[in-house]
Amino acid sequence: QLELVESGGGLVQPGGSLRLSCATSGFPLDDYAIGWFRLAPGKEREGVSCISSSGGSTNYPDSVKGRFTISRDNAKNTVYLQMNNLKPEDTAVYYCAADLPPNPLQAMCVSSAYDYWGQGTQVTVSS
């Protein structure tokens, strides 16, 4: 019943920006933790940004800290990932995921802590 649909991916030049959206349905977004993850060519799935159900706690790995920002609009049932100063190594399929807290691994962007996933959107950073 829980659904997540990513959008907003595309081709962008290095240094450019993209905003990804995750439209959700079938569950109360304000009760769930949300995470953004990515799968890059030849690499394992990596958590890039996670947010608590309250929106009061956000976490980013060093690889994206200062460049990516996660936010949520519970009224619109939508989660966003703003990506600035994009680099070629950011090229990946980006997924949003959700699950009920409490699980400290959710805030740490551990993928196994999330049960519900979208289909992903491709982001390509290339000159």
Side-chain angles (χ1 to χ4, degrees), residues 4-126:
L4 304 95
V5 181
E6 302 92 337
S7 63
L11 175 65
V12 64
Q13 297 288 324
S17 299
L18 284 174
R19 188 187 71 169
L20 306 184
S21 297
C22 176
T24 71
S25 62
F27 65 97
L29 181 59
D30 60 344
D31 288 341
Y32 282 68
I34 302 293
W36 283 97
F37 300 82
R38 66 187 181 187
L39 281 172
K43 298 182 178 180
E44 295 183 343
R45 183 164 50 191
E46 176 189 23
V48 298
S49 189
C50 297
I51 189 169
S52 65
S53 59
S54 68
S57 179
T58 56
N59 292 278
Y60 307 88
D62 290 341
S63 59
V64 307
K65 187 175 297 183
R67 301 189 298 117
F68 290 12
T69 303
I70 189 172
S71 62
R72 60 194 299 160
D73 188 335
N74 294 330
K76 296 182 178 180
N77 296 314
T78 302
V79 181
Y80 303 96
L81 182 67
Q82 179 66 46
M83 304 185 295
N84 298 326
N85 191 24
L86 285 162
K87 304 175 180 180
E89 52 263 42
D90 294 320
T91 296
V93 178
Y94 284 73
Y95 301 86
C96 63
D99 213 340
L100 281 169
N103 186 339
L105 298 180
Q106 294 164 337
M108 297 174 64
C109 279
V110 177
S111 61
S112 62
Y114 290 88
D115 289 337
Y116 308 102
W117 293 79
Q119 293 298 113
T121 185
Q122 176 71 46
V123 172
T124 302
V125 184
S126 177

